[in-house]
Amino acid sequence: MKRQAKGQIHERITAIPNAWYPAYMVRGDAKNLMIDAGVNLLGPRYLTSIKDILGDPERLHYLFLTHSHYDHVGAAHYLKRHIPGLAIGAHERLALLLQKTSVLDMINRLSGNHVELLKYNTAGEDLTLHPFEINICLKQGDAFDLGGLTCRVYETPGHTRDSLSFYFPEIKTLFAGEACGVLQGETGSEMQVEFLSSYDDYIESLKLMMALEPETICLGHAWVLTHEDAKEFLQRALAETYRYRELIEKYLNAAGGHIEKAIEDMGHVEYDIKGGIYQERVSYMTNLSAQVKHIAGLKKN
Ligand SMILES: [Fe+2]
C-alpha cells in the first residue's frame, strides 16, 4: 500500500504536519524520537503537532536528522530553542557542515523561497536557522532503545555524504530520508533518483536497505509504503537508478560530451516538457547539474 505521509502511520508513528515536508514522530514506551525537521518556516507547525501528540513537548527526547539539506534540518534550531532538553543526533559530517556560515546562509535562502509557508508563522517568530549543536554524532551500528522499539542507525551515503537511515526492527520500519529516492507527481507514480554525492554509494546504500527487508518505508517526502509496495519500491529504486545513469549518459552523448548543454537539454525535456515534478525548478536543476557532472566524471575514469 502507498499512502500520504500525513497523520497516523502506525500505532507508534505519526507523520507531521505537511506531507511534502514530513517529520516522523516515533513513540516508544520510554522515549520519543522525531525524524527530520523539515523547512524552517514550518517550525511552529511542528511544535504544535509535537504538543498535540505528546502533550508536553519536553517528552520529545531525540531529534535525528537524515541529512543536511535545508528541507530536512530547517526547524532544528527552532525546536531546540523551545525544547531545551532535546538531544539532536546526526552524522558528524552534518555537524561540521552546519558550523559554516555559507551553508546556513544557503539553507535560509532556500527556505525563504517557500513564501507559501510564511502564513504559518502567526506569532511572527524568528524562524531563521541559526547554528545549533549536534548532541549525538550518529554512526553505523548505533542503537537507541526507546522502550519496546529500537532505533538502529545505518550510514546510507550517496544522496549526500552525511545521509543516515533509521530502522526499527520490531516494526520492520525504515526511515530513509532521500537515500532511496522519492516519488514525484500527484499520485507518486514517478521515481526521482536522488544520488548527488556518489552514484556508487547510492547503489550500495539501496542494496543495504533491501537487505533489511523493511515492511514499511517512510520516505523523506510525501509517501509511506507498506508491505509489497515497500519491497517493490526498493527494487524499482535500484532499477531506476541504473536506468537514470543510462539516460544521463544518453544526454551527454547527444551533447557531444558538453556537460552544460547536457544539463540544459535534460532539464528542459525532463522537467519542463514531461513535468510532474513538484520540486522547485531551481532545486531540480541544482541537483541535476550535480548528477550529470558526477556521471560525466565516472565516464571519464
Ligand atoms: Fe535531500
Side-chain angles (χ1 to χ4, degrees), residues 9 21 111 159 188 193 267:
I9 304 296
Y21 302 108
S111 306
H159 176 58
V193 176

Side-chain angles (χ1 to χ4, degrees), residues 185-204:
E186 207 165 317
T187 59
S189 56
E190 299 299 317
M191 171 80 66
Q192 189 171 357
V193 176
E194 294 267 32
F195 68 83
L196 294 176
S197 64
S198 164
Y199 171 84
D200 290 334
D201 287 352
Y202 190 83
I203 296 276
E204 287 310 308

Side-chain angles (χ1 to χ4, degrees), residues 66-72 159-160 163 177-179 182 194 196 221 279 287:
T66 59
H67 64 294
S68 53
H69 282 166
Y70 84 99
D71 50 346
H72 295 265
H159 176 58
T160 61
S163 288
E178 285 171 82
V182 292
E194 294 267 32
L196 294 176
H221 295 285
Q279 192 178 24
N287 291 353

Side-chain angles (χ1 to χ4, degrees), residues 19 50 151 166-167 194 238 254 262 275:
I50 292 165
C151 175
F166 306 109
Y167 185 62
E194 294 267 32
L238 189 63

Side-chain angles (χ1 to χ4, degrees), residues 78-95:
Y78 174 86
L79 292 175
K80 177 75 177 179
R81 217 163 70 216
H82 285 269
I83 311 172
L86 185 64
I88 303 182
H91 196 287
E92 68 173 346
R93 287 181 191 281
L94 182 150

Side-chain angles (χ1 to χ4, degrees), residues 193 206 233-244:
V193 176
L206 280 173
F233 174 84
L234 289 176
Q235 288 166 348
R236 186 177 159 212
L238 189 63
E240 291 276 339
T241 305
Y242 292 135
R243 191 197 63 81
Y244 190 65

